[in-house]
Amino acid sequence: MANTAQTIKRARQNDARRAHNASQKSAFRTAIKKIAKAIQGGDKKTAQETFNQNVSIIDRIADKKIVHKNKAARHKSRLNTAIKAL
């Protein structure tokens, strides 16, 4: 357990950051699932619109380094390829 004012504050800050980052990762996964669900629907136009709406969320989370930029790029690439294959 933290026993100085500095370490108590750092523990408090770390808890707040961890909670914020967890919610951001959840938003990242939700955005990917929304796009994947639209692709499963089979309508190319709807899937493309959903992709365009959610790609900014994916990019924003990658820019904040919540997830690695290459992971975000990989997901976007695979989803876009799946949309083009419809």
Side-chain angles (χ1 to χ4, degrees), residues 29-69:
R29 290 190 297 265
T30 301
I32 290 171
K33 287 177 187 176
K34 283 181 185 176
I35 299 168
K37 187 175 181 181
I39 292 170
Q40 289 292 328
D43 185 17
K44 187 172 185 174
K45 183 179 178 186
T46 305
Q48 186 65 48
E49 289 172 0
T50 306
F51 179 82
N52 292 340
Q53 292 168 356
N54 288 289
V55 73
S56 64
I57 295 169
I58 295 170
D59 287 336
R60 185 168 53 244
I61 293 169
D63 287 342
K64 293 177 183 175
K65 298 179 181 170
I66 305 295
V67 296
H68 197 275
K69 61 180 179 155

